[in-house]
Amino acid sequence: MELFYAVLRAFLCGGILCLIGQILIDKTALTPAKILTCYVVAGVLLGAVGLYAPIQEWCGAGASVPLTGFGANLAKGVREAVAEQGLLGAFTGGMKAAASGLTAAIFFGWIAALLARSQDKA
């Protein structure tokens, strides 16, 4: 039963994030690229002030998988690197924290490109 509630919380959190994005697309002049950027920045800001960790704990993958989770991961990496290395950590911490996710995205994107056949659009 615990698994059911974990999946339900993840679904609700992810669904709310998607709903907000869809409302922004429908009701504003923001482009999808600007909305995605806003999600990353929101994750960075919420992560920097320590508000995203409780959201991630409650929502699980519903908060860690979307772009807000990427932004929060960047903020966490910067915070930890600054604590260890000082000012230099502000420049290196975010990329170190996100390196495995970025590497996986590039690798699996490459695999998908190898497996898919490109076609001319008519």
Side-chain angles (χ1 to χ4, degrees), residues 49-83:
V49 297
L51 293 176
Y52 206 76
I55 294 170
Q56 270 185 317
E57 188 176 321
W58 190 80
C59 294
S64 62
V65 172
L67 284 173
T68 51
F70 175 71
N73 191 28
L74 290 175
K76 180 181 176 187
V78 169
R79 188 172 49 248
E80 290 173 356
V82 167

Side-chain angles (χ1 to χ4, degrees), residues 1-95:
M1 198 62 160
E2 180 66 29
L3 177 62
F4 172 77
Y5 288 118
V7 171
L8 182 64
R9 288 191 307 266
F11 176 78
L12 290 173
C13 186
I16 289 169
L17 288 171
C18 290
L19 177 67
I20 292 168
Q22 189 63 51
I23 290 170
L24 289 172
I25 288 171
D26 291 344
K27 302 294 183 183
T28 68
L30 293 173
T31 64
K34 289 180 181 177
I35 294 169
L36 294 175
T37 303
C38 289
Y39 271 130
V40 173
V41 170
V44 167
L45 294 175
L46 290 171
V49 297
L51 293 176
Y52 206 76
I55 294 170
Q56 270 185 317
E57 188 176 321
W58 190 80
C59 294
S64 62
V65 172
L67 284 173
T68 51
F70 175 71
N73 191 28
L74 290 175
K76 180 181 176 187
V78 169
R79 188 172 49 248
E80 290 173 356
V82 167
E84 292 174 6
Q85 302 170 345
L87 183 60
L88 181 62
F91 299 105
T92 62
M95 290 310 290

Side-chain angles (χ1 to χ4, degrees), residues 102-117:
L102 291 173
T103 302
I106 292 168
F107 176 75
F108 289 115
W110 177 69
I111 295 293
L114 289 176
L115 297 175
R117 293 183 175 242

